[in-house]
Amino acid sequence: MISTEDLPIRQCLPEILAAFAASIPVVLKAPPGAGKTTGVPPALMGLGTTHHGKILLVQPRRLAARSAASRLAGILGTRIGDAVGYQVRFDNQTSKNTTLIAMTTGILLRRLQNDPLLADVSCVILDEFHERTLEMELALGMIHRIRTTLRPELRLLVMSATLDPHPLVEFLGEATAVTSEGRSYPVDIRYVNTLPADPLEQRVATTLLDALKATPGHVLVFLPGLGEIRKACRKIASLRLPDDVIVCELYGDLSPNEQDAVLSPSKSRKIILATNVAETSITIPGVTCVIDSGLARVLRYDSNVGLPKLQLEPVSQASADQRTGRAGRTAPGVCYRLWSLASQRARRECDTPEIERSDFSEALLTLAAWGERDVFDFPWLTPPPKNAVVTAKQLLLRLEAIQEDGSLTSMGRHMLRLPLHPRLSRFMIEALKQDVVEDAALAAAMLSERDPFFGQPRTSVYQASSTHDCDVIDRVDRLKNFECSRHEDGINPVAAKQVRRVAEQIRRLTVEVQIQSTAASESDTVRLKRSLLAAYPDRVARRRNAGSDRGSVDRLRGVMVGGRGVRLDPASNSRQGELFLCLDVDSTGTEAMVRWASSIDEQWLHSEFIHEEDEPFFNPTLNAVVSRRRRYFDDLMLSEWPIKCVPSAEVGDILAQHALQDLETVFPCKDESVAAFVERVRFLAIQMPELGLSAIDDGSIQKVLRMLCRDRTSIAELRVAPWIELLRAKYDYSQLWAIEQHSPSRLTLPSGNSIVVNYPPGQTPYIEARIQEIYGWHETPRLAGGRVPLQLRLLGPNYRPQQITNDLASFWRVTYTQIRKELQRRYPKHYWPDDPAVAKATRNGLKPK
């Protein structure tokens, strides 16, 4: 038995137990090394505060749950599965005598589905709550609802290393905040200003040589992912390390035995290359030095397009402090941070709660099973984003898991029996109906667990020999061949064994579901691909160059339901056919990268989501609106063909939109009747405001344009449309009479000729006439009820200007005499009377006979 007498947390136990005696929830903040995970549960068991019910110690990760159970069993001197046990997905090490169960949050949520009151549970401990996982926040809300409605005696303890307890206390209502000062040894933090341009593995290896000299214990290296771990491992292998130093890898997808080997005491000095799985929850004895890359891969879910995005991000200050604390658990230590002090100050203080960046569909399905109809009426510490809830509901509707009102369907109840993401559980239920459970279970295991393939791009020789156009089925066959021959290249035997173990659990749980088979007389491959389609109906994509004979590179690009551009991994075998499913997707970048895909047949698509639409659009080459009949699956166009474009409101709107972009080329400015009418009205509206004429401005012209577009389809038709009729229709009879009377379009001269009156914007209206045509006019004609004299631009027989005047009487008296001599000499045949004011005008300007 391991003693816990010297754990700092023991000082807080009386306060915790007193709160439990009064059925008051407790929020415990205790730093790393305080012993909250190993000190509190035994105290609750030993002092009998749980009233003979089970204690559930809930951890966010499988590794943490198993590790906690192992340590607690050692403390209590019992074997795993007796008084202390654990339960994680597909691994249940408990018995009827187990009182303390360490479990993942997912297992707790499934337990709440089967037993909404947790009837045999006296206490729930939510550990490492500062990680703010979506499942943990969902579990907190569900436990809080149970306590505040039906089971006030249910004890609740929320434990965190860094989180401020006050928001939790406020959320829980009557709760007690307990803080443990903890006990940690001093850690010397050293910022390493390595060159950012150097590869991460090089920076780690360089720092490692100093780290091995700085302390005598194990070295824990935090890296963002398995890829970086493998690169660092190869780089470290090239160093000359002491013989007693071994390099270990630690990440969530390791087998339990491999994880135990890393965590167990060792005489050799360890260099442990780990992801952030080692940041909290687990204790690695003997670690006195930490090398922190300061990076983590964070999965963010873009609810706008329904796709995950794995981003490499700097860790928060709180996470960096957690990692640093790993070096001071058992002795003074050193932490090397591979970034500058200035960069540390610029980092965010805490991590973003997972509920604000994750796929919400699994949580929504859980709430539906629990009878929750209004997600936002549920007690959330941090409510989910509305768009994430909408996206999740749309997916579950497509998966036939829920109804419109949010209630669970029979399909949803079947899906909940499988501990998988809703997509994969729907996949397995469909595979059961299609009678391809065994291969589907392998596929689901590979999609949910670590990929057993090393990930090198397959050779063109292998691609050519593969008979599948589905990457998942291709991998299933390769894994089965490996199990038979053990000679398949590129497969990790340990990971393959884990996938097979998980697949067997999935298969066993699936066949227990009672559902009628609907398998058709098709090949297993077709039925398996149909099952995948049932799980990924919103991930159907069409190749951008569908139907073309262009190169293979073009066959890799497509557009998915929702409009997102996608690009297939060059190693994908899904290159044939027009349609394919995007199964394993990373939406980082302009085009989402599809690592696994499957070609599908259009005939398999659910007819409920297929529709045809007649869609008009503007063709810039024809300068006209044309129409296509398009066939869609959701919003993904499958095919199209031309049809006759008929005028309609929609067609008119499209035509108007493009005509307005270049109105000058559409409006008939060269049509004198139209342009003149516009200017005449503008002139008269200014000069005679009492008439109440509204000027024809740009807005009026645009309104007329839209009216004309209603029964037209091309720019050419607009140019010859009856603009003048619609412009005149703005005015009543009396206004039109006034326009003709006071701003006439034409004027009859004394010669009998009719001539255009010009109304230039902002200038005096004018006419152009030969002098001989206006003989007999004594005074200048006037417009606008006599308010505006007409400007006369008098021309010679050659139609060149001779004089401009708006005072004709003065012109006759003074100027005419001066220019008459010159014009008479040059044009002797023309008529030049002595007194033009009384002379007879002539049409042609010649002397009257």
Side-chain angles (χ1 to χ4, degrees):
M1 180 180 295
I2 302 173
S3 173
T4 62
E5 292 295 327
D6 59 343
L7 290 176
I9 198 67
R10 293 192 64 83
Q11 299 176 1
C12 302
L13 291 178
E15 189 176 359
I16 295 172
L17 297 177
F20 270 28
S23 296
I24 297 175
V26 177
V27 180
L28 172 62
K29 179 180 180 181
K36 57 183 180 297
T37 303
T38 52
V40 175
L44 299 180
M45 294 174 66
L47 296 178
T49 59
T50 56
H51 299 286
H52 309 293
K54 296 184 184 299
I55 301 173
L56 306 184
L57 174 60
V58 184
Q59 297 285 349
R61 295 187 179 91
R62 284 177 280 179
L63 174 58
R66 292 181 58 258
S67 175
S70 178
R71 297 202 311 273
L72 288 167
I75 289 171
L76 296 173
T78 183
R79 294 184 305 171
I80 291 291
D82 288 340
V84 178
Y86 70 83
Q87 186 177 359
V88 300
R89 192 177 71 153
F90 304 134
D91 189 2
N92 187 351
Q93 298 296 324
T94 63
S95 66
K96 63 180 182 180
N97 298 322
T98 304
T99 303
L100 175 58
I101 306 174
M103 61 177 56
T104 56
T105 326
I107 295 297
L108 172 63
L109 293 176
R110 296 188 65 80
R111 190 172 187 134
L112 283 164
Q113 293 173 21
N114 299 325
D115 180 13
L117 297 181
L118 296 179
D120 63 343
V121 176
S122 61
C123 177
V124 177
I125 304 172
L126 301 180
D127 199 6
E128 308 296 348
F129 193 83
H130 56 268
E131 293 196 17
R132 300 298 301 274
T133 65
L134 172 55
E135 286 186 333
M136 192 69 84
E137 300 219 15
L138 180 58
L140 175 68
M142 295 173 82
I143 299 296
H144 181 56
R145 176 151 287 180
I146 293 172
R147 291 193 68 262
T148 54
T149 54
L150 299 172
R151 287 202 59 197
E153 80 283 0
L154 179 64
R155 270 63 175 180
L156 173 62
L157 174 60
V158 182
M159 303 198 300
S160 167
T162 59
L163 198 65
D164 180 5
H166 294 98
L168 272 167
V169 169
E170 184 177 349
F171 170 77
L172 294 171
E174 294 183 2
T176 296
V178 179
T179 301
S180 170
E181 297 301 326
R183 179 196 63 203
S184 60
Y185 293 91
V187 178
D188 179 14
I189 300 176
R190 303 175 185 180
Y191 292 92
V192 180
N193 292 312
T194 56
L195 294 176
D198 289 344
L200 179 58
E201 61 271 21
Q202 177 62 55
R203 295 156 60 195
V204 168
T206 301
T207 307
L208 180 61
L209 295 175
D210 295 331
L212 290 171
K213 299 175 184 177
T215 67
H218 304 318
V219 179
L220 177 59
V221 183
F222 284 101
L223 293 164
L226 181 57
E228 288 80 9
I229 287 177
R230 294 283 162 77
K231 289 179 182 179
C233 195
R234 289 193 294 268
K235 188 65 180 178
I236 293 171
S238 66
L239 302 177
R240 294 182 178 180
L241 299 177
D243 294 336
D244 64 336
V245 173
I246 59 174
V247 179
C248 307
E249 298 179 359
L250 182 60
Y251 46 89
D253 287 332
L254 278 178
S255 68
N257 290 336
E258 289 175 310
Q259 292 172 353
D260 291 343
V262 177
L263 300 179
S264 62
S266 170
K267 294 181 179 180
S268 299
R269 192 176 183 188
K270 297 178 183 177
I271 300 172
I272 305 163
L273 307 178
T275 62
N276 58 359
V277 70
E279 189 174 302
T280 60
S281 306
I282 64 173
T283 296
I284 306 175
V287 171
T288 56
C289 184
V290 165
I291 299 176
D292 187 1
S293 67
L295 299 170
R297 276 200 166 76
V298 179
L299 187 65
R300 295 189 178 274
Y301 187 77
D302 187 348
S303 56
N304 293 321
V305 295
L307 291 177
K309 179 166 54 178
L310 194 60
Q311 295 184 173
L312 186 65
E313 298 181 359
V315 299
S316 66
Q317 294 183 22
S319 290
D321 290 342
Q322 281 282 106
R323 294 178 175 189
T324 297
R326 298 285 124 180
R329 298 292 294 269
T330 57
V334 177
C335 176
Y336 293 89
R337 291 179 172 174
L338 303 185
W339 65 92
S340 66
L341 179 59
S343 173
Q344 168 69 7
R345 298 192 183 103
R347 293 175 181 238
R348 63 184 184 278
E349 291 186 6
C350 299
D351 294 322
T352 304
E354 192 180 52
I355 196 170
E356 295 181 356
R357 56 177 174 82
S358 292
D359 177 6
F360 194 73
S361 58
E362 197 165 359
L364 186 61
L365 186 60
T366 299
L367 289 173
W370 226 47
E372 294 286 343
R373 296 292 179 268
D374 185 353
V375 171
F376 297 101
D377 187 48
F378 184 78
W380 295 104
L381 179 62
T382 302
K386 289 184 178 180
N387 59 339
V389 175
V390 170
T391 302
K393 182 176 180 180
Q394 291 173 344
L395 174 60
L396 294 181
L397 285 170
R398 290 298 303 269
L399 298 180
E400 303 174 325
I402 62 172
Q403 299 178 3
E404 282 289 346
D405 64 356
S407 60
L408 206 63
T409 64
S410 58
M411 174 62 72
R413 284 190 288 273
H414 291 321
M415 291 165 58
L416 280 166
R417 297 185 63 178
L418 305 178
L420 299 167
H421 184 277
R423 286 191 190 277
L424 296 182
S425 58
R426 180 67 179 87
F427 168 55
M428 290 307 304
I429 298 300
E430 189 66 26
L432 180 63
K433 293 167 64 177
Q434 296 285 348
D435 197 21
V436 284
V437 170
E438 183 173 348
D439 284 354
L442 274 174
M446 282 190 286
L447 285 164
S448 62
E449 296 292 313
R450 174 182 152 213
D451 187 358
F453 297 90
F454 287 126
Q456 306 99 325
R458 291 174 294 175
T459 65
S460 58
V461 173
Y462 184 87
Q463 285 181 319
S465 64
S466 176
T467 59
H468 296 300
D469 56 2
C470 174
D471 296 322
V472 173
I473 299 177
D474 180 36
R475 281 169 162 78
V476 168
D477 279 0
R478 293 174 66 192
L479 189 59
K480 290 164 69 176
N481 290 337
F482 170 75
E483 292 174 344
C484 293
S485 65
R486 313 297 292 182
H487 293 307
E488 176 70 38
D489 292 333
I491 291 183
N492 182 333
V494 176
K497 183 178 180 180
Q498 172 69 4
V499 165
R500 171 53 77 179
R501 187 177 70 88
V502 171
E504 177 55 29
Q505 296 281 0
I506 294 174
R507 186 203 63 78
R508 181 181 58 79
L509 291 173
T510 302
V511 297
E512 292 175 357
V513 177
Q514 299 298 317
I515 194 167
Q516 186 175 359
S517 172
T518 60
S521 57
E522 297 174 317
S523 68
D524 289 354
T525 297
V526 168
R527 284 180 282 144
L528 194 56
K529 291 199 290 185
R530 281 182 177 270
S531 302
L532 287 168
L533 177 58
Y536 295 87
D538 57 330
R539 298 273 188 89
V540 176
R542 181 173 183 258
R543 301 187 197 278
R544 289 194 182 275
N545 295 293
S548 73
D549 295 326
R550 301 185 63 180
S552 60
V553 174
D554 285 340
R555 303 291 295 173
L556 296 177
R557 301 179 66 243
V559 61
M560 194 175 67
V561 168
R564 182 62 186 273
V566 297
R567 180 182 291 274
L568 286 170
D569 188 298
S572 172
N573 251 9
S574 180
R575 295 171 179 245
Q576 303 303 316
E578 309 298 344
L579 301 178
F580 60 92
L581 283 179
C582 304
L583 302 174
D584 185 358
V585 186
D586 183 353
S587 67
T588 305
T590 304
E591 291 183 311
M593 175 57 70
V594 182
R595 290 182 285 258
W596 293 10
S598 173
S599 298
I600 58 172
D601 194 309
E602 184 178 326
Q603 295 179 352
W604 304 344
L605 300 178
H606 201 306
S607 59
E608 179 184 348
F609 300 100
I610 293 181
H611 59 280
E612 291 182 356
E613 294 184 10
D614 293 345
E615 295 187 11
F617 62 94
F618 191 79
N619 186 316
T621 302
L622 299 176
N623 252 352
V625 181
V626 297
S627 288
R628 298 283 189 273
R629 181 158 294 163
R630 289 172 169 165
R631 190 164 184 260
Y632 285 94
F633 174 73
D634 269 357
D635 61 353
L636 180 68
M637 187 177 69
L638 301 175
S639 58
E640 65 173 343
W641 56 95
I643 59 174
K644 182 180 179 180
C645 184
V646 180
S648 67
E650 184 181 8
V651 169
D653 289 342
I654 296 172
L655 181 60
Q657 177 185 352
H658 288 271
L660 287 170
Q661 294 175 6
D662 195 6
L663 187 57
E664 291 184 1
T665 64
V666 179
F667 185 70
C669 299
K670 295 181 180 180
D671 186 334
E672 294 183 359
S673 63
V674 177
F677 184 76
V678 172
E679 298 304 334
R680 289 162 58 202
V681 172
R682 285 178 177 173
F683 163 75
L684 201 58
I686 295 172
Q687 298 301 327
M688 300 184 72
E690 67 272 16
L691 296 177
L693 298 175
S694 58
I696 302 177
D697 54 13
D698 290 344
S700 302
I701 294 175
Q702 291 177 13
K703 184 177 180 180
V704 170
L705 169 67
R706 294 184 185 280
M707 294 176 65
L708 291 170
C709 287
R710 292 176 183 174
D711 52 4
R712 288 164 179 79
T713 62
S714 69
I715 297 296
E717 291 175 306
L718 285 177
R719 288 172 179 158
V720 297
W723 288 79
I724 188 67
E725 284 82 351
L726 292 180
L727 290 173
R728 290 176 64 86
K730 285 172 52 68
Y731 308 103
D732 59 28
Y733 177 80
S734 62
Q735 290 175 319
L736 289 173
W737 180 88
I739 293 170
E740 296 301 326
Q741 185 73 19
H742 300 297
S743 58
S745 60
R746 303 184 73 85
L747 202 60
T748 301
L749 302 178
S751 65
N753 290 335
S754 176
I755 194 166
V756 172
V757 181
N758 298 283
Y759 294 85
Q763 300 180 36
T764 303
Y766 69 91
I767 62 171
E768 293 181 329
R770 289 177 296 176
I771 296 174
Q772 287 84 0
E773 294 186 82
I774 65 170
Y775 292 160
W777 267 354
H778 294 273
E779 299 290 339
T780 303
R782 305 182 76 84
L783 306 174
R787 299 175 188 180
V788 179
L790 184 65
Q791 185 183 88
L792 305 175
R793 298 185 180 183
L794 303 178
L795 311 177
N798 60 353
Y799 291 92
R800 291 184 179 178
Q802 301 298 320
Q803 184 67 29
I804 297 177
T805 182
N806 58 7
D807 187 354
L808 186 59
S810 175
F811 171 75
W812 292 143
R813 290 194 310 271
V814 180
T815 312
Y816 173 74
T817 304
Q818 296 174 3
I819 66 173
R820 173 172 174 258
K821 295 178 182 180
E822 176 62 22
L823 292 174
Q824 190 174 26
R825 181 185 64 79
R826 293 168 57 190
Y827 304 100
K829 293 182 180 182
H830 283 69
Y831 184 38
W832 305 104
D834 292 335
D835 188 357
V838 297
K840 183 179 180 180
T842 64
R843 286 179 177 270
N844 56 14
L846 300 178
K847 293 178 181 180
K849 296 180 179 179

